[in-house]
Amino acid sequence: MMRQILTVLLLSACLAPVSLAGTQSYTALVTLDEAARKIIQQGRNKVLATRTETVDGRRVHIIKILTPQGRIQHIKIDADSGRVVK
């Protein structure tokens, strides 16, 4: 019984980064968490919200931040390359 539970948990952890869109599966090379950490490390930004969307057929992580100057910005990061998208 315990072995079955551990197997299910292990499989769940392995499949967690895969999101399904229709019948196709997709695995981001840069996770939403990694993208948010990258933004935080670049300055003293505070992350307010995060989400992943499909924009022009590409998966994009959108990070809403509060800058040290008190401005709110939305930074878009390509989920495959990790590059900032305009």
Side-chain angles (χ1 to χ4, degrees), residues 13 18 31 34 40 47 56 70 74 77 79 83:
V18 177
T31 67
E34 289 170 339
I40 291 170
V47 173
D56 296 329
H74 292 85
I77 298 178
R83 294 186 185 135

Side-chain angles (χ1 to χ4, degrees), residues 21-72:
T23 59
Q24 294 179 327
S25 64
Y26 176 84
T27 303
L29 297 178
V30 177
T31 67
L32 183 59
D33 187 51
E34 289 170 339
R37 273 190 260 154
K38 179 180 176 181
I39 297 300
I40 291 170
Q41 291 171 351
Q42 290 178 353
R44 291 180 297 155
N45 301 314
K46 181 177 179 182
V47 173
L48 302 176
T50 61
R51 67 183 186 275
T52 303
E53 294 182 1
T54 301
V55 177
D56 296 329
R58 299 166 67 185
R59 300 290 289 175
V60 176
H61 300 309
I62 301 173
I63 317 293
K64 181 179 179 180
I65 64 166
L66 179 64
T67 68
Q69 294 78 26
R71 296 184 186 148
I72 293 177

